[in-house]
Amino acid sequence: MICIGKIVTTFGIKGELKVVSNFDKCDKAYRPKNKVLINNILHEVSAVRYHKNNILLKIDNKDNINDVLEYVGFNIYIARSDLNLKSDEYLLSDLPGAKVVDNQKNIGVIKEVLQGAASNIVKVSGEKEFLIPLVPAYVQKFSLEDKTLYTQNAKDLMLWGGFNEDWYIIFISWDVYGLFK
């Protein structure tokens, strides 16, 4: 089971739950008829809508605030199979611990995933510690079976590994928008 968010409070009086989530595939996880696990009880998503930066969720067709108060404070989980991921799709949570291969050469292991302004970025530890933006210019594919991220031109990013992370994230954000071409 994969954690896809946390219920922080109710919303209104008609049984909606306010969910905070930084899950990268919210559009696949929060869909009507999906099965979710809350407090070790399986529920069916009845309705979903977005409000500001939150997800408003109705479960089991419950239409009264008193029926859903007991779920406030709990995490929401979903089975990976219910996400209906395509063969070339992966979750950001799959990346830590994965090998990074650039042109058939192992250049390191992913330590963590950072959320950047323009794209997500992985911190890689190898000969040097450096960052790789998860954009098509650098990432070819991710193999879940091999737990390997295949890249192109990522070895060149090792030269920038000495930069402070905040500066590097700004630089990569500009680079993604083509300002350094």
Side-chain angles (χ1 to χ4, degrees), residues 35-54:
K35 303 287 186 210
V36 294
L37 191 70
I38 304 170
N39 193 18
N40 293 323
I41 302 169
L42 201 58
H43 299 278
E44 183 175 296
V45 175
S46 307
V48 178
R49 66 186 182 108
Y50 296 88
H51 178 71
K52 298 186 180 176
N53 290 330
N54 300 305

Side-chain angles (χ1 to χ4, degrees), residues 65-78:
I65 188 174
N66 296 321
D67 296 337
V68 296
L69 278 172
E70 64 186 286
Y71 302 117
V72 173
F74 287 101
N75 288 330
I76 302 173
Y77 298 89
I78 192 167

Side-chain angles (χ1 to χ4, degrees), residues 115-131:
Q115 293 186 335
S119 67
N120 293 313
I121 298 167
V122 292
K123 183 187 278 188
V124 178
S125 180
E127 293 174 24
K128 288 176 119 180
E129 197 166 83
F130 62 101
L131 304 171

Side-chain angles (χ1 to χ4, degrees), residues 6 38 47 73 92 105 108 133 163-164 178:
K6 181 174 181 142
I38 304 170
L92 293 178
K105 184 181 178 215
F163 276 100
N164 160 320

Side-chain angles (χ1 to χ4, degrees), residues 2-143:
I2 300 166
C3 183
I4 59 171
K6 181 174 181 142
I7 301 169
V8 292
T9 189
T10 57
F11 187 84
I13 60 170
K14 296 190 177 184
E16 288 182 303
L17 296 165
K18 184 187 274 189
V19 177
V20 172
S21 177
N22 63 355
F23 186 64
D24 56 309
K25 304 274 190 232
C26 283
D27 57 324
K28 292 183 177 281
Y30 296 104
R31 287 186 175 169
K33 304 220 190 253
N34 270 2
K35 303 287 186 210
V36 294
L37 191 70
I38 304 170
N39 193 18
N40 293 323
I41 302 169
L42 201 58
H43 299 278
E44 183 175 296
V45 175
S46 307
V48 178
R49 66 186 182 108
Y50 296 88
H51 178 71
K52 298 186 180 176
N53 290 330
N54 300 305
I55 299 160
L56 302 180
L57 189 67
K58 285 187 96 168
I59 55 171
D60 299 330
N61 291 317
K62 294 184 179 188
D63 290 326
N64 189 319
I65 188 174
N66 296 321
D67 296 337
V68 296
L69 278 172
E70 64 186 286
Y71 302 117
V72 173
F74 287 101
N75 288 330
I76 302 173
Y77 298 89
I78 192 167
R80 186 182 186 96
S81 59
D82 290 343
L83 293 174
N84 298 319
L85 297 174
K86 296 176 185 169
S87 61
D88 62 337
E89 288 183 302
Y90 57 91
L91 302 176
L92 293 178
S93 60
D94 295 333
L95 294 175
K99 293 185 302 185
V100 180
V101 174
D102 190 69
N103 298 326
Q104 289 110 22
K105 184 181 178 215
N106 187 351
I107 60 172
V109 176
I110 297 173
K111 291 298 178 194
E112 69 177 301
V113 178
L114 307 170
Q115 293 186 335
S119 67
N120 293 313
I121 298 167
V122 292
K123 183 187 278 188
V124 178
S125 180
E127 293 174 24
K128 288 176 119 180
E129 197 166 83
F130 62 101
L131 304 171
I132 301 173
L134 295 175
V135 295
Y138 297 109
V139 176
Q140 291 176 327
K141 69 177 182 170
F142 176 73
S143 171

